[in-house]
Amino acid sequence: PTSNFKASLKESEGNREIAFKVIKSNSYTYRLQPEKPLTNYKSYILTIDEETSDISGNRLQKDFRLTFLPLLRDSATNSQGK
């Protein structure tokens, strides 16, 4: 359940928190969507808190941090197949 999922999304530079929502979840997967589009080629950190637990109540041993960089093509480039 989403009540067992605790996470934060922040910009790597400036540490500004980015609001997001869980748009889909099941017992294996959570799908997240930021409330505003992320900036292309800007680094972000998703932290899943150690308080997060699975359906059996098992918690993470420590926070899980994922640093990522959105790489989005513009729609004109996508439509031309480049």
Side-chain angles (χ1 to χ4, degrees):
T2 56
S3 61
N4 296 346
F5 182 75
K6 301 195 180 355
S8 63
L9 178 61
K10 295 182 179 182
E11 293 178 346
S12 292
E13 300 169 13
N15 213 28
R16 185 175 64 98
E17 186 123 5
I18 308 295
F20 67 89
K21 59 185 172 183
V22 176
I23 58 172
K24 185 176 180 182
S25 68
N26 58 38
S27 57
Y28 302 101
T29 306
Y30 287 92
R31 193 166 176 197
L32 311 176
Q33 181 176 20
E35 292 186 1
K36 295 181 180 177
L38 301 179
T39 303
N40 205 17
Y41 295 101
K42 187 172 191 171
S43 182
Y44 295 90
I45 301 170
L46 174 66
T47 303
I48 301 174
D49 193 282
E50 65 185 13
E51 297 291 316
T52 297
S53 61
D54 64 15
I55 58 174
S56 299
N58 301 307
R59 291 185 174 177
L60 293 172
Q61 292 181 359
K62 61 181 181 177
D63 289 355
F64 174 81
R65 291 176 51 128
L66 172 69
T67 302
F68 67 96
L69 184 72
L71 302 175
L72 307 170
R73 293 182 176 180
D74 67 32
S75 58
T77 300
N78 283 336
S79 65
Q80 296 173 1
K82 294 181 181 178

Coordinates of all heavy atoms in Angstrom, one line a residue:
P1 N 0.8 -1.2 0.0 CA 0.0 0.0 0.0 C 0.9 1.3 0.0 O 2.0 1.3 0.5 CB -0.8 -0.1 1.3 CG -0.3 -1.2 2.1 CD 0.6 -2.0 1.2
T2 N 0.4 2.3 -0.6 CA 1.1 3.6 -0.6 C 1.4 4.2 0.7 O 2.3 4.9 0.9 CB 0.4 4.6 -1.5 OG1 -0.9 4.8 -1.0 CG2 0.3 4.2 -3.0
S3 N 0.6 3.8 1.7 CA 0.9 4.3 3.1 C 2.2 3.8 3.6 O 2.8 4.4 4.6 CB -0.3 3.9 4.0 OG -0.4 2.5 4.1
N4 N 2.7 2.7 3.1 CA 4.0 2.1 3.5 C 5.2 2.7 2.7 O 6.3 2.3 3.0 CB 4.0 0.6 3.4 CG 3.0 -0.1 4.2 OD1 2.5 0.5 5.1 ND2 2.8 -1.3 3.9
F5 N 4.9 3.6 1.8 CA 5.9 4.1 0.9 C 6.2 5.5 1.3 O 5.4 6.4 1.3 CB 5.4 4.1 -0.6 CG 6.4 4.6 -1.6 CD1 7.5 3.8 -1.9 CD2 6.2 5.8 -2.2 CE1 8.4 4.2 -2.9 CE2 7.2 6.2 -3.1 CZ 8.2 5.5 -3.4
K6 N 7.5 5.8 1.6 CA 8.0 7.1 2.1 C 9.2 7.5 1.2 O 10.2 6.7 1.3 CB 8.3 7.1 3.5 CG 7.1 6.7 4.4 CD 7.2 7.0 5.8 CE 6.1 6.6 6.7 NZ 4.9 6.1 6.1
A7 N 9.1 8.5 0.5 CA 10.1 8.9 -0.4 C 10.2 10.4 -0.6 O 9.2 11.1 -0.3 CB 10.0 8.2 -1.8
S8 N 11.3 10.9 -1.1 CA 11.4 12.3 -1.5 C 12.2 12.5 -2.8 O 13.0 11.6 -3.1 CB 12.1 13.1 -0.4 OG 13.4 12.7 -0.2
L9 N 11.9 13.5 -3.5 CA 12.6 13.8 -4.8 C 13.1 15.2 -4.6 O 12.4 16.2 -4.3 CB 11.6 13.7 -5.9 CG 12.2 14.0 -7.3 CD1 13.3 13.1 -7.7 CD2 11.0 14.0 -8.3
K10 N 14.4 15.4 -4.9 CA 15.1 16.7 -4.7 C 16.0 17.0 -5.9 O 16.5 16.1 -6.5 CB 15.9 16.8 -3.4 CG 15.0 16.7 -2.2 CD 15.9 16.9 -1.0 CE 15.0 16.8 0.3 NZ 15.8 17.0 1.5
E11 N 16.2 18.3 -6.2 CA 17.2 18.7 -7.1 C 18.6 18.4 -6.5 O 18.8 18.7 -5.3 CB 17.1 20.2 -7.5 CG 15.9 20.5 -8.2 CD 15.8 22.0 -8.5 OE1 16.6 22.8 -7.8 OE2 15.0 22.5 -9.3
S12 N 19.5 17.9 -7.3 CA 20.9 17.7 -6.7 C 21.5 19.0 -6.3 O 22.2 19.1 -5.3 CB 21.8 17.0 -7.7 OG 21.3 15.6 -7.9
E13 N 21.4 20.0 -7.2 CA 21.9 21.3 -6.9 C 20.8 22.2 -6.2 O 19.8 22.3 -6.7 CB 22.4 22.0 -8.2 CG 23.4 21.2 -8.9 CD 23.7 21.8 -10.3 OE1 23.2 22.9 -10.7 OE2 24.3 21.0 -11.1
G14 N 21.1 22.7 -5.1 CA 20.1 23.5 -4.4 C 19.3 22.8 -3.5 O 18.6 23.4 -2.6
N15 N 19.2 21.4 -3.6 CA 18.4 20.6 -2.7 C 16.9 21.0 -2.6 O 16.3 20.7 -1.6 CB 19.1 20.7 -1.3 CG 19.0 19.4 -0.5 OD1 18.9 18.3 -1.2 ND2 19.0 19.4 0.8
R16 N 16.4 21.6 -3.6 CA 15.0 21.9 -3.6 C 14.1 20.7 -3.8 O 14.3 19.9 -4.7 CB 14.7 22.9 -4.8 CG 13.2 23.5 -4.8 CD 13.0 24.5 -5.8 NE 13.2 24.0 -7.1 CZ 12.2 23.7 -7.9 NH1 11.0 23.7 -7.5 NH2 12.4 23.2 -9.2
E17 N 13.1 20.6 -2.9 CA 12.2 19.4 -3.0 C 11.2 19.5 -4.2 O 10.7 20.6 -4.4 CB 11.4 19.3 -1.7 CG 10.6 18.1 -1.6 CD 10.9 17.2 -0.4 OE1 11.7 17.6 0.5 OE2 10.3 16.2 -0.3
I18 N 11.0 18.4 -4.8 CA 10.1 18.4 -6.0 C 8.9 17.5 -5.5 O 9.0 16.4 -5.1 CB 10.7 17.7 -7.2 CG1 12.1 18.3 -7.5 CG2 9.8 17.6 -8.4 CD1 12.0 19.7 -8.0
A19 N 7.7 18.1 -5.7 CA 6.5 17.3 -5.3 C 6.2 16.3 -6.4 O 6.4 16.5 -7.6 CB 5.3 18.3 -5.2
F20 N 5.7 15.1 -5.9 CA 5.3 14.0 -6.8 C 4.2 13.3 -6.3 O 3.8 13.4 -5.1 CB 6.5 13.1 -7.1 CG 7.0 12.3 -5.9 CD1 6.4 11.1 -5.7 CD2 7.9 12.8 -5.1 CE1 6.8 10.3 -4.6 CE2 8.3 12.1 -4.0 CZ 7.8 10.8 -3.7
K21 N 3.6 12.5 -7.1 CA 2.5 11.6 -6.6 C 2.7 10.2 -7.1 O 3.4 10.0 -8.1 CB 1.1 12.1 -7.1 CG 1.0 12.2 -8.6 CD -0.3 12.9 -9.0 CE -0.4 13.1 -10.5 NZ -1.6 13.8 -10.9
V22 N 2.2 9.2 -6.4 CA 2.2 7.8 -6.8 C 1.0 7.6 -7.8 O -0.1 7.8 -7.4 CB 2.1 6.9 -5.6 CG1 2.1 5.4 -6.1 CG2 3.3 7.1 -4.6
I23 N 1.3 7.3 -9.0 CA 0.2 7.2 -10.0 C -0.2 5.7 -10.2 O -1.2 5.5 -10.7 CB 0.6 7.8 -11.3 CG1 1.8 7.2 -11.9 CG2 0.7 9.3 -11.2 CD1 2.1 7.7 -13.4
K24 N 0.7 4.8 -9.7 CA 0.3 3.4 -9.8 C 1.2 2.6 -8.9 O 2.3 2.9 -8.7 CB 0.6 2.9 -11.3 CG 0.1 1.5 -11.5 CD 0.3 1.1 -13.0 CE -0.1 -0.4 -13.2 NZ 0.1 -0.8 -14.5
S25 N 0.6 1.6 -8.2 CA 1.3 0.8 -7.3 C 0.7 -0.6 -7.2 O -0.5 -0.8 -7.4 CB 1.4 1.4 -5.9 OG 0.2 1.4 -5.3
N26 N 1.6 -1.6 -7.0 CA 1.1 -2.9 -6.6 C 2.1 -3.4 -5.6 O 2.9 -2.7 -5.1 CB 1.0 -3.8 -7.9 CG 2.3 -3.9 -8.6 OD1 3.4 -4.0 -8.0 ND2 2.3 -4.0 -9.9
S27 N 2.1 -4.7 -5.3 CA 3.0 -5.2 -4.2 C 4.4 -5.2 -4.6 O 5.3 -5.4 -3.8 CB 2.5 -6.6 -3.8 OG 2.5 -7.5 -4.9
Y28 N 4.8 -4.9 -5.9 CA 6.2 -5.0 -6.4 C 6.7 -3.6 -6.9 O 7.9 -3.4 -6.9 CB 6.3 -6.0 -7.5 CG 5.9 -7.4 -7.1 CD1 4.7 -7.9 -7.5 CD2 6.8 -8.2 -6.3 CE1 4.3 -9.2 -7.1 CE2 6.4 -9.4 -6.0 CZ 5.2 -9.9 -6.4 OH 4.8 -11.2 -6.0
T29 N 5.8 -2.8 -7.4 CA 6.2 -1.6 -8.1 C 5.4 -0.3 -7.6 O 4.2 -0.4 -7.4 CB 5.9 -1.8 -9.6 OG1 6.6 -3.0 -10.0 CG2 6.5 -0.6 -10.4
Y30 N 6.2 0.8 -7.6 CA 5.5 2.1 -7.4 C 5.9 2.9 -8.6 O 7.1 3.0 -8.9 CB 6.0 2.8 -6.1 CG 5.5 2.2 -4.9 CD1 6.2 1.2 -4.2 CD2 4.3 2.6 -4.3 CE1 5.7 0.6 -3.0 CE2 3.7 2.0 -3.2 CZ 4.4 1.0 -2.5 OH 3.9 0.5 -1.4
R31 N 4.9 3.5 -9.2 CA 5.2 4.4 -10.3 C 4.9 5.8 -9.9 O 3.8 6.2 -9.4 CB 4.3 4.0 -11.5 CG 4.7 4.7 -12.8 CD 4.0 4.0 -13.9 NE 4.4 4.7 -15.1 CZ 3.7 4.6 -16.3 NH1 2.7 3.8 -16.3 NH2 4.1 5.3 -17.3
L32 N 6.0 6.7 -10.0 CA 5.9 8.1 -9.5 C 5.8 9.1 -10.7 O 6.4 8.8 -11.8 CB 7.1 8.4 -8.7 CG 7.5 7.4 -7.6 CD1 8.8 7.7 -7.0 CD2 6.4 7.2 -6.6
Q33 N 5.2 10.2 -10.4 CA 5.1 11.3 -11.4 C 5.3 12.6 -10.7 O 4.5 12.9 -9.8 CB 3.8 11.2 -12.2 CG 3.7 12.3 -13.2 CD 2.4 12.2 -14.0 OE1 1.4 11.6 -13.5 NE2 2.3 12.8 -15.1
P34 N 6.3 13.4 -11.1 CA 6.4 14.7 -10.5 C 5.3 15.6 -10.9 O 4.7 15.4 -12.0 CB 7.7 15.2 -11.2 CG 8.1 14.3 -12.3 CD 7.3 13.1 -12.1
E35 N 4.9 16.5 -10.0 CA 3.7 17.3 -10.3 C 4.0 18.4 -11.4 O 3.1 18.9 -12.1 CB 3.3 18.0 -9.0 CG 2.7 17.0 -8.1 CD 2.0 17.6 -6.9 OE1 2.0 18.9 -6.7 OE2 1.5 16.8 -6.0
K36 N 5.3 18.7 -11.6 CA 5.7 19.6 -12.7 C 6.8 18.8 -13.5 O 7.6 18.0 -12.9 CB 6.3 20.9 -12.2 CG 5.2 21.7 -11.5 CD 5.8 23.0 -11.0 CE 4.7 23.8 -10.3 NZ 5.3 25.1 -9.7
P37 N 7.0 19.1 -14.8 CA 8.0 18.4 -15.6 C 9.4 18.7 -15.0 O 9.7 19.8 -14.5 CB 7.9 19.0 -17.0 CG 6.5 19.6 -17.0 CD 6.2 20.0 -15.6
L38 N 10.3 17.7 -15.0 CA 11.6 17.8 -14.6 C 12.4 18.5 -15.7 O 12.1 18.4 -16.9 CB 12.3 16.5 -14.3 CG 11.6 15.7 -13.2 CD1 12.3 14.3 -13.0 CD2 11.5 16.4 -11.9
T39 N 13.5 19.2 -15.3 CA 14.3 19.9 -16.3 C 15.3 18.9 -16.9 O 16.0 18.2 -16.3 CB 15.1 21.0 -15.6 OG1 14.2 21.9 -14.9 CG2 15.9 21.8 -16.5
N40 N 15.3 19.0 -18.3 CA 16.2 18.2 -19.0 C 17.7 18.4 -18.7 O 18.1 19.6 -18.5 CB 16.0 18.5 -20.5 CG 16.4 17.3 -21.4 OD1 16.5 16.2 -21.0 ND2 16.5 17.6 -22.7
Y41 N 18.5 17.4 -18.5 CA 19.9 17.4 -18.2 C 20.2 18.1 -16.9 O 21.2 18.7 -16.7 CB 20.7 18.2 -19.3 CG 20.7 17.5 -20.6 CD1 19.8 17.9 -21.6 CD2 21.5 16.4 -20.9 CE1 19.8 17.2 -22.9 CE2 21.4 15.7 -22.1 CZ 20.6 16.2 -23.1 OH 20.6 15.5 -24.3
K42 N 19.3 18.0 -15.9 CA 19.5 18.5 -14.6 C 19.4 17.3 -13.6 O 18.5 16.4 -13.7 CB 18.4 19.5 -14.2 CG 18.7 20.2 -12.9 CD 17.7 21.3 -12.7 CE 18.1 22.2 -11.5 NZ 17.3 23.4 -11.5
S43 N 20.3 17.2 -12.7 CA 20.4 16.0 -11.8 C 19.4 16.1 -10.7 O 19.2 17.1 -10.1 CB 21.9 16.0 -11.3 OG 22.0 14.8 -10.4
Y44 N 18.8 14.9 -10.4 CA 17.8 14.8 -9.3 C 18.2 13.6 -8.4 O 18.9 12.7 -8.9 CB 16.4 14.6 -9.8 CG 15.9 15.8 -10.6 CD1 16.1 15.9 -12.0 CD2 15.2 16.8 -10.0 CE1 15.7 17.0 -12.7 CE2 14.8 17.9 -10.7 CZ 15.0 18.0 -12.0 OH 14.6 19.1 -12.7
I45 N 17.7 13.6 -7.2 CA 17.9 12.5 -6.2 C 16.6 12.1 -5.7 O 15.8 12.8 -5.1 CB 18.8 12.9 -5.1 CG1 20.2 13.4 -5.5 CG2 19.0 11.8 -4.1 CD1 21.0 14.1 -4.4
L46 N 16.3 10.8 -5.9 CA 15.1 10.1 -5.4 C 15.6 9.3 -4.2 O 16.5 8.5 -4.3 CB 14.4 9.2 -6.4 CG 13.3 8.4 -5.8 CD1 12.1 9.3 -5.4 CD2 12.9 7.3 -6.8
T47 N 15.0 9.6 -3.0 CA 15.4 8.9 -1.8 C 14.2 8.1 -1.3 O 13.1 8.7 -1.1 CB 15.9 9.8 -0.7 OG1 17.0 10.6 -1.2 CG2 16.3 9.1 0.6
I48 N 14.3 6.8 -1.2 CA 13.3 6.0 -0.6 C 13.7 5.8 0.9 O 14.7 5.2 1.2 CB 13.1 4.7 -1.3 CG1 12.8 5.0 -2.8 CG2 12.0 3.8 -0.7 CD1 12.7 3.8 -3.7
D49 N 12.9 6.2 1.8 CA 13.2 6.2 3.2 C 13.2 4.8 3.8 O 12.4 4.0 3.4 CB 12.1 7.1 3.9 CG 12.4 7.4 5.3 OD1 12.3 6.5 6.2 OD2 12.9 8.5 5.6
E50 N 14.1 4.6 4.7 CA 14.2 3.3 5.4 C 12.9 2.9 6.1 O 12.7 1.7 6.4 CB 15.3 3.3 6.4 CG 15.2 4.2 7.6 CD 16.4 4.2 8.5 OE1 17.5 3.8 8.1 OE2 16.2 4.8 9.6
E51 N 12.0 3.8 6.3 CA 10.7 3.5 6.9 C 9.7 2.8 5.9 O 8.7 2.3 6.3 CB 10.0 4.8 7.4 CG 10.7 5.6 8.5 CD 10.7 4.8 9.8 OE1 9.7 4.3 10.2 OE2 11.8 4.7 10.4
T52 N 10.1 2.8 4.6 CA 9.3 2.1 3.6 C 9.3 0.6 3.9 O 10.3 0.1 4.2 CB 9.8 2.4 2.2 OG1 9.7 3.8 2.0 CG2 9.1 1.7 1.2
S53 N 8.1 0.0 3.8 CA 8.0 -1.4 4.0 C 7.2 -2.1 2.9 O 6.4 -1.5 2.3 CB 7.4 -1.7 5.4 OG 6.1 -1.2 5.5
D54 N 7.4 -3.4 2.8 CA 6.6 -4.2 1.8 C 5.3 -4.6 2.5 O 5.0 -4.3 3.6 CB 7.5 -5.4 1.3 CG 7.8 -6.4 2.4 OD1 7.3 -6.4 3.5 OD2 8.7 -7.2 2.1
I55 N 4.5 -5.4 1.8 CA 3.2 -5.8 2.3 C 3.3 -6.7 3.5 O 2.3 -6.8 4.2 CB 2.4 -6.5 1.2 CG1 3.1 -7.7 0.6 CG2 2.0 -5.5 0.1 CD1 2.2 -8.5 -0.4
S56 N 4.5 -7.3 3.8 CA 4.7 -8.1 5.0 C 5.2 -7.3 6.1 O 5.4 -7.8 7.2 CB 5.6 -9.3 4.7 OG 5.1 -10.1 3.7
G57 N 5.5 -6.0 5.9 CA 6.0 -5.2 7.0 C 7.5 -5.1 7.1 O 8.0 -4.5 8.0
N58 N 8.2 -5.7 6.1 CA 9.7 -5.7 6.1 C 10.2 -4.3 5.7 O 9.8 -3.9 4.6 CB 10.2 -6.8 5.2 CG 9.8 -8.2 5.6 OD1 10.0 -8.5 6.8 ND2 9.2 -8.9 4.7
R59 N 11.0 -3.7 6.4 CA 11.5 -2.4 6.1 C 12.9 -2.5 5.4 O 13.6 -3.5 5.5 CB 11.7 -1.5 7.4 CG 10.4 -1.1 8.0 CD 10.7 -0.2 9.2 NE 9.4 0.3 9.7 CZ 9.3 1.0 10.8 NH1 10.4 1.4 11.4 NH2 8.2 1.5 11.2
L60 N 13.2 -1.4 4.8 CA 14.6 -1.3 4.2 C 15.6 -1.2 5.4 O 15.3 -0.7 6.4 CB 14.7 0.0 3.3 CG 13.9 0.0 2.1 CD1 14.0 1.4 1.4 CD2 14.4 -1.0 1.1
Q61 N 16.8 -1.6 5.1 CA 17.8 -1.5 6.2 C 18.4 -0.1 6.3 O 18.8 0.3 7.4 CB 19.0 -2.5 5.9 CG 18.5 -3.9 6.0 CD 19.7 -4.9 5.8 OE1 20.8 -4.5 5.5 NE2 19.4 -6.2 5.9
K62 N 18.3 0.6 5.2 CA 18.8 2.0 5.2 C 18.1 2.7 4.0 O 17.6 2.1 3.1 CB 20.3 2.1 5.1 CG 20.9 1.6 3.9 CD 22.4 1.7 3.9 CE 23.0 1.1 2.6 NZ 24.4 1.3 2.5
D63 N 18.2 4.1 4.0 CA 17.6 4.8 2.9 C 18.3 4.4 1.6 O 19.5 4.1 1.5 CB 17.9 6.3 3.1 CG 17.1 7.0 4.2 OD1 16.2 6.3 4.8 OD2 17.3 8.2 4.4
F64 N 17.5 4.3 0.6 CA 18.0 4.0 -0.8 C 17.9 5.3 -1.6 O 16.9 6.0 -1.7 CB 17.1 3.0 -1.5 CG 17.4 2.7 -2.9 CD1 18.5 1.8 -3.2 CD2 16.8 3.3 -3.9 CE1 18.9 1.6 -4.5 CE2 17.1 3.1 -5.2 CZ 18.2 2.2 -5.5
R65 N 19.1 5.7 -2.1 CA 19.2 6.9 -2.9 C 19.6 6.6 -4.4 O 20.5 5.8 -4.6 CB 20.3 7.8 -2.3 CG 19.9 8.4 -1.0 CD 21.0 9.2 -0.4 NE 21.6 10.2 -1.3 CZ 21.7 11.4 -1.1 NH1 21.4 11.9 0.1 NH2 22.2 12.3 -2.0
L66 N 18.8 7.2 -5.3 CA 19.0 7.1 -6.7 C 19.2 8.4 -7.3 O 18.3 9.3 -7.2 CB 17.8 6.4 -7.3 CG 17.8 6.3 -8.9 CD1 18.9 5.4 -9.3 CD2 16.5 5.9 -9.4
T67 N 20.4 8.7 -7.9 CA 20.6 9.9 -8.6 C 20.4 9.7 -10.1 O 20.9 8.7 -10.6 CB 22.1 10.4 -8.3 OG1 22.3 10.6 -6.9 CG2 22.4 11.7 -9.0
F68 N 19.7 10.6 -10.7 CA 19.4 10.4 -12.1 C 19.4 11.7 -12.9 O 19.2 12.8 -12.3 CB 18.1 9.6 -12.3 CG 16.8 10.3 -11.9 CD1 16.1 11.0 -12.8 CD2 16.4 10.3 -10.6 CE1 14.9 11.7 -12.4 CE2 15.3 10.9 -10.2 CZ 14.5 11.7 -11.1
L69 N 19.4 11.6 -14.2 CA 19.5 12.8 -15.1 C 18.5 12.6 -16.2 O 18.7 11.7 -17.0 CB 20.9 12.9 -15.6 CG 21.3 14.1 -16.5 CD1 21.3 15.3 -15.6 CD2 22.6 13.8 -17.2
P70 N 17.4 13.3 -16.2 CA 16.4 13.2 -17.3 C 17.1 13.5 -18.7 O 17.7 14.6 -18.8 CB 15.3 14.1 -17.0 CG 15.5 14.5 -15.6 CD 16.9 14.3 -15.3
L71 N 16.9 12.7 -19.6 CA 17.5 13.0 -21.0 C 16.3 12.8 -21.9 O 15.9 11.8 -22.4 CB 18.5 11.9 -21.4 CG 19.7 11.9 -20.5 CD1 20.7 10.8 -20.9 CD2 20.5 13.2 -20.4
L72 N 15.7 14.0 -22.2 CA 14.4 14.0 -23.0 C 14.7 14.6 -24.4 O 15.3 15.7 -24.5 CB 13.3 14.8 -22.3 CG 13.1 14.3 -20.9 CD1 12.1 15.3 -20.2 CD2 12.5 13.0 -20.8
R73 N 14.3 14.0 -25.4 CA 14.4 14.6 -26.8 C 13.2 15.5 -26.9 O 12.1 15.3 -26.3 CB 14.2 13.5 -27.8 CG 15.4 12.5 -27.9 CD 15.1 11.6 -29.0 NE 16.2 10.7 -29.2 CZ 16.2 9.7 -30.1 NH1 15.2 9.6 -30.9 NH2 17.3 9.0 -30.2
D74 N 13.4 16.5 -27.8 CA 12.2 17.4 -28.0 C 11.3 16.6 -29.0 O 11.7 15.7 -29.7 CB 12.6 18.7 -28.6 CG 13.3 18.7 -29.9 OD1 12.9 17.9 -30.8 OD2 14.1 19.6 -30.2
S75 N 10.0 17.0 -29.0 CA 9.0 16.3 -29.8 C 9.3 16.4 -31.3 O 9.0 15.4 -32.1 CB 7.6 16.8 -29.5 OG 7.5 18.2 -29.8
A76 N 9.9 17.4 -31.8 CA 10.2 17.5 -33.2 C 11.2 16.5 -33.6 O 11.1 15.9 -34.7 CB 10.7 18.9 -33.6
T77 N 12.2 16.3 -32.8 CA 13.2 15.3 -33.1 C 12.6 13.9 -33.0 O 12.9 13.0 -33.9 CB 14.4 15.3 -32.0 OG1 15.0 16.6 -32.1 CG2 15.5 14.3 -32.3
N78 N 11.8 13.6 -32.0 CA 11.1 12.3 -32.0 C 10.3 12.0 -33.2 O 10.2 10.9 -33.7 CB 10.2 12.2 -30.7 CG 11.1 12.0 -29.5 OD1 12.2 11.5 -29.5 ND2 10.5 12.3 -28.3
S79 N 9.5 12.9 -33.7 CA 8.6 12.7 -34.8 C 9.4 12.4 -36.1 O 8.9 11.8 -37.0 CB 7.7 13.9 -35.0 OG 8.4 15.0 -35.3
Q80 N 10.7 12.9 -36.2 CA 11.5 12.7 -37.3 C 12.3 11.4 -37.2 O 13.0 11.0 -38.2 CB 12.4 13.9 -37.6 CG 11.6 15.1 -37.9 CD 12.5 16.3 -38.0 OE1 13.8 16.2 -37.8 NE2 12.0 17.5 -38.2
G81 N 12.2 10.7 -36.1 CA 12.9 9.5 -35.9 C 14.4 9.6 -35.7 O 15.2 8.7 -36.0
K82 N 14.9 10.8 -35.3 CA 16.3 11.0 -35.1 C 16.7 10.7 -33.7 O 16.0 10.8 -32.8 CB 16.7 12.4 -35.5 CG 16.5 12.7 -36.9 CD 16.9 14.1 -37.2 CE 16.7 14.4 -38.7 NZ 17.0 15.8 -39.1

